[in-house]
Every structure is written in structure tokens, then in C-alpha cells.
Amino acid sequence: MLKMSVLATFLAILALSPAFAAQDLCNEAHMKQMDGMIAKMTDATKKKEAATALDMSKAAMKKGDTAGCMKHMDEAHKVMGL
Ligand SMILES: [Cu+2]
């Protein structure tokens, strides 16, 4: 039961946190945040996978392709277990 309430709290924080609102994820600040989170990953394979997805997300962001940016960002998040 404790595990469930921790998860529920975590999800509530994600939902409420402006940093994790979908429309706010494709920006330099969040990219920096992602870089930091990926740098802390311990699984080398997943780390590389997440970094690759994030690179594609950054490339899409530079082109002004928010949908593409979100798509690759989502991939990176999934690899990171978010
Ligand atoms: Cu992200």
C-alpha cells in the first residue's frame, strides 16, 4: 500500500510540475535537465539509447519541429523509465 501511495504522489508531482508539462519540454532548460539525468544513468546501453533519442529530440527542436521533438523526448523518457 505504501508503494502505491508513493507512486500516486510521484504521478501527482509529475502532473503538476510545469517542468514536465508536455508543451514545456522542448526547450533548452529541459534539455539541460535531461542531459544531467542521462549523465547519472548507470546502465551503459540504456544511457546510450536515451542520449541518442535526446539528440534527435534536440535536432527536431532546432528545426522548430515540436511534434518530432516530443516524439523523441518521449522515447528518451521511456528508456529512462519516466
Ligand atoms: Cu525530457
Side-chain angles (χ1 to χ4, degrees):
M1 275 330 241
L2 181 67
K3 210 172 180 185
M4 281 307 291
S5 63
V6 167
L7 183 66
T9 308
F10 182 65
L11 289 176
I13 290 167
L14 282 189
L16 292 172
S17 169
F20 281 89
Q23 66 270 29
D24 290 333
L25 288 179
C26 286
N27 57 61
E28 290 294 342
H30 183 70
M31 291 303 180
K32 276 208 174 67
Q33 192 184 350
M34 294 285 287
D35 280 332
M37 286 159 89
I38 289 171
K40 282 180 200 146
M41 289 173 76
T42 48
D43 185 320
T45 309
K46 284 188 175 177
K47 189 175 187 172
K48 199 173 172 223
E49 223 179 293
T52 304
L54 187 64
D55 273 349
M56 290 194 285
S57 181
K58 284 177 183 171
M61 179 177 76
K62 285 202 180 86
K63 284 188 285 184
D65 175 9
T66 306
C69 177
M70 277 316 298
K71 184 177 162 278
H72 295 300
M73 172 72 71
D74 230 37
E75 284 165 15
H77 286 175
K78 282 202 186 98
V79 175
M80 293 159 77
L82 291 177

